[in-house]
Amino acid sequence: MLIDEARTPHIISAPDTEPTKKYYEYAKLVEKLDSVKDFVVDEKLHTAHLTEEGILKVEKLLGVDNLYEKDFATVHHIEAALKAKTLFSLIKNM
């Protein structure tokens, strides 16, 4: 579980049938993004989104021509991983 400074929980979970490997892959992918060029964080609105450069970089890393035509789940997972990386802190031993 991750939690932000306002103590808003952000739980990344999946049904048992979906492999958790995906979550680790997307977390590693967003680690490769540059915080200056590839995404923008708005702490006030608690959002983080890819810039045009970030979209191109993710497409290259995933080997796809258009990230937004691939499938909604991929975009959702990438955005969740980016938000988790930039806006939430890991809480251990809850």
Side-chain angles (χ1 to χ4, degrees), residues 1-4 7-9 88-94:
M1 179 187 313
L2 301 167
I3 194 161
D4 69 3
R7 310 238 358 118
T8 304
F88 292 85
S89 301
L90 180 63
I91 303 297
K92 295 181 180 183
N93 300 324
M94 286 195 69

Side-chain angles (χ1 to χ4, degrees), residues 42-88:
D42 186 330
E43 291 183 19
K44 183 177 178 183
L45 296 176
H46 288 82
T47 61
H49 64 274
L50 296 170
T51 62
E52 287 294 324
E53 286 186 61
I55 292 168
L56 293 173
K57 190 172 195 174
V58 169
E59 288 171 344
K60 184 177 180 182
L61 290 168
L62 292 176
V64 298
D65 292 328
N66 188 329
L67 176 64
Y68 293 92
E69 286 182 358
K70 183 170 172 30
D71 63 58
F72 179 74
T74 299
V75 174
H76 172 74
H77 288 306
I78 291 169
E79 289 177 351
L82 184 58
K83 188 174 179 180
K85 174 190 174 192
T86 59
L87 295 169
F88 292 85

Side-chain angles (χ1 to χ4, degrees), residues 11-27:
I11 302 169
I12 300 174
S13 64
D16 291 337
T17 58
E18 188 174 338
T20 57
K21 181 181 172 188
K22 263 189 202 178
Y23 294 101
Y24 292 106
E25 290 172 359
Y26 291 122

Side-chain angles (χ1 to χ4, degrees), residues 20-38:
T20 57
K21 181 181 172 188
K22 263 189 202 178
Y23 294 101
Y24 292 106
E25 290 172 359
Y26 291 122
K28 287 180 185 177
L29 185 140
V30 298
E31 288 296 326
K32 296 176 182 178
L33 300 177
D34 183 281
S35 62
V36 176
K37 298 185 299 184
D38 297 331

